[in-house]
Amino acid sequence: MQHLLEICYLIGSFGFIIGLKLMGQPDSARKGNLIAAFGMAVAVFATLFLSKTGFQVIGNIGYILAAILLGTVVGTLMAKRVQMTAMPEMVSIFNGMGGLAAALISIIEWRNIEHEIIESNVAEMVANFGLPEGFTIVPMSHYLPIIAGLIIGTISFVGSIIAWGKLNGKIGDFRFAGQQFINAIVLIAIMAAAYMNYHHVNTLEAGTNVWFYVTMGLAIIYGLLFVFPIGGADMPVVISLLNSFTGVAAACGGFLYDNNVMLMGGVLVGSAGTILTVVMCKAMNRSLTNVLIGMAGSNSSSGGAAVSGNVREVQATDVAVMMKYASKVIIVPGYGLAVAQAQHVCHELENILTEEGVDVKYAIHPVAGRMPGHMNVLLAESNVEYDKLIEMEHINSEFPTTDVVLVVGANDVVNPAAKTDPTSPIYGMPILDVDQAKQIVVLKRSMKSGYAGIENALFFDPKCGMLFGDAKDSLQKLVNEVKAL
Amino acid sequence: MEQILSFIGNNITYIYLIGLMIFVGIELISHVPSVLHTPLMSGANAIHGVVLIGAIIVLGKAEATDYFSIVVGFVGVFVGTLNVIGGFVVTDRMLEMFKKKPKGGNK
């Protein structure tokens, strides 16, 4: 029974890999998630009831089971109750919890080291006999995972909480001149403090060692500085990045405890998360470096040529007529649809139009909503057929043959400035070419600009009509009007 | 230099493992339709909840009188569990919606 623990960890690790693999395809995604969860369950139970020598219940089992039970109840409730639209916030919170766990592990482990040093009278021994050649009190290989787990876990925790606050609008953007410079300084200061701590403990300097806590404090500051200046549009990138940070923090724990499942899971998420971040950056036309040094976001509301002209306001009745007698309608959903919870009524409109013989499709921009794939999840929730959701590369060629494009609460992803205006902050971002269509109708609450903080030339296009109002109300009106015709 | 070499030598299995896992992670994500990015991020989020095991270990070895370790470890296990359970449940909720429409041939 000796190797049972290792075998369980092996099952856990394979569960993660296979689970993540299956999650990459729509048909098997749910099964993949369950397999990963199964792997996790095996690994956790093995940790509780097995040791390297055989069956042995871990110490403090009462406390551990109580904490797990409490976490299970609270976690399930939180996850079940959250609205689909608030999903990104939820992911951010859970990510922060993982980072916090990693940081707490490091805090306890560090305290254990300090206690050991005091209890074993190392200082006295070294004072009497000197430090033996090639001997370090706390070897780097033991110190590094602890301090890295602390730093990365703390940054991930603080950053995720800020990202959560930003996504639900509780925290605004905050930036000041020279921020990147300050960020870099803080990062260097973290490294320096971490080294001072190492130095202090290994040279047995007198006095209390505050460097560990200085390192932690600086990591908290960095977490704040890191996320504060980044605009809401870049939050998915930040969450994905923090997600991979937490993965690395978990991997540090794997090193520390010589625990393969933690190492494998952590590294897997670390690398998968990084790639996911890069893919998202590409879709949003931002470089990862800029995001990393806190430069991303809507830093130039003044950028881009000023757009002027007349905006044509239209009435729901006109739009209903236009759509009913169109042969092809493309709906472009955006974040406005998500906040208004308009996905169901949107599907209703699609159904009615389809019954009238109109060809209705959805054009999904990779970063529509708040995260890649967020729109798909929302629309899938309201039973929109999977094959009606067309990705940008495939739908762009269809716009010229489209009679009416209905833009529901999207803005930056349909801004032609991304193609035409090199001074625009979003220049170069791939967009949906809705301006190619014969008629464009934009459902929007007001003329307020989108995340990128810039005017949208599309709204001034003579072909474009604006239907102001809450997305859900407007869509409901359209549904009623089309029915009444 | 000697130190670095011996460090690599002593940890060669780990280095293999980490290197291979990095490639596995990259491979797994690179060919995924952007539709699935949010659920995938959420799924990966749940997987790094494996840090829970570290929290269990650290709480498990705390002495009965070491209240600091017990309290902090308890919080660690609690938030670790939140990460795991919450992560998997949220992911399942997202993916549940994809599963309803198996006839979707256009991926």
Side-chain angles (χ1 to χ4, degrees), chain A residues 1-2 4-5 46 48-58:
Chain A
M1 283 305 173
Q2 258 184 359
L4 204 54
L5 181 69
L48 290 177
F49 301 112
L50 295 172
S51 75
K52 283 191 174 157
T53 49
F55 289 105
Q56 190 190 345
V57 177
I58 200 164

Side-chain angles (χ1 to χ4, degrees), chain A residues 411-419 426 431-432 454-458:
Chain A
N411 191 344
D412 295 330
V413 298
V414 293
N415 193 339
K419 285 195 158 168
I426 61 164
I431 55 158
L432 292 163
I454 47 167
E455 289 278 7
N456 194 337
L458 179 77

Side-chain angles (χ1 to χ4, degrees), chain A residues 330 332 363 395-407 411-421 429-442 456-465:
Chain A
I330 294 182
V332 179
I395 197 105
N396 262 346
S397 57
E398 295 199 28
F399 283 113
T401 59
T402 303
D403 300 301
V404 183
V405 170
L406 196 65
V407 179
N411 191 344
D412 295 330
V413 298
V414 293
N415 193 339
K419 285 195 158 168
T420 55
D421 178 7
M429 179 172 99
I431 55 158
L432 292 163
D433 301 324
V434 294
D435 52 341
Q436 312 265 314
K438 288 170 195 146
Q439 289 284 336
I440 307 146
V441 177
V442 178
N456 194 337
L458 179 77
F459 303 157
F460 302 98
D461 190 309
K463 288 188 295 186
C464 178

Side-chain angles (χ1 to χ4, degrees), chain A residues 320-334:
Chain A
V321 174
M322 242 156 64
M323 288 198 298
K324 186 175 172 179
Y325 299 104
S327 57
K328 186 167 170 185
V329 171
I330 294 182
I331 300 174
V332 179

